[in-house]
Amino acid sequence: MPQLNPTPVIIRRGRRIISFRRKQDRYGWMGNMPHFGVVHRGVKYKSSEHLFQSLRYQGHPRIQKQIRQHRNSLYMKKTIHRRNVHLIAPIDPEKDKARMLLCLRAKVAAHPWMARRLVATGNAVIIENVSKRPRGSGKVWGAAWDRSRGEWQGHNWLGRTWMKLRTELR
């Protein structure tokens, strides 16, 4: 994941903030790691993270199968992905955002209750809280709370993608 500088500050403009960090959180279902199965082109994936990582390995069906069959999202990312990261096409933020939107659409299609809960968030700002890991891809896909400044910092692509999907569903 590219280091994108500078890290932006998320402006609330009077809107409430919804954040999630763990699958046990009220909005934890928005994370990619929890095993809410999805289907893409007739193929089943254990989680949206499995699908996302698989999409990044176009042209490598053996690796895609390993990803799809791995039982643990986080461990899959730490093993299969790290061993094969050199096979991913050059990082393209716009393509990764499009892949993520595809994954979230598949997730909502497989679990219609998520669409209802997402729309029920109104106009809240949605943030993947990466305060425990505010480095690397953390601040690209999410945002971290900066206590000293009293603000969220990060690109928050995952949260923004959820908000984009929410707009589509209205």
Side-chain angles (χ1 to χ4, degrees), residues 16-30:
R16 78 182 166 118
I17 298 276
I18 288 174
S19 69
F20 58 93
R21 185 172 61 86
R22 303 168 308 159
K23 65 182 177 181
Q24 298 87 354
D25 293 345
R26 180 176 180 191
Y27 294 97
W29 54 269
M30 289 183 178

Side-chain angles (χ1 to χ4, degrees), residues 1 14 22 39 50 52 84 96 121 133 157 164 169:
M1 184 55 53
R22 303 168 308 159
V39 176
H50 282 82
F52 180 78
N84 298 291
D96 269 354
T121 63
R133 53 180 176 86
W157 287 355
K164 180 177 183 170
L169 292 170

Side-chain angles (χ1 to χ4, degrees), residues 35 43-58 60-85 87-88:
H35 283 205
V43 178
K44 294 180 182 180
Y45 297 83
K46 289 178 176 61
S47 71
S48 52
E49 185 68 25
H50 282 82
L51 174 56
F52 180 78
Q53 294 301 334
S54 181
L55 291 171
R56 297 176 87 202
Y57 286 96
Q58 294 294 330
H60 300 282
R62 181 185 61 78
I63 296 170
Q64 288 177 313
K65 184 177 180 181
Q66 288 176 342
I67 290 170
R68 192 172 54 251
Q69 293 178 340
H70 207 285
R71 67 179 185 274
N72 184 295
S73 305
L74 185 58
Y75 189 69
M76 171 266 300
K77 207 171 163 182
K78 288 182 176 180
T79 58
I80 296 170
H81 178 62
R82 288 192 179 151
R83 281 193 309 252
N84 298 291
V85 71
L87 298 175
I88 295 177

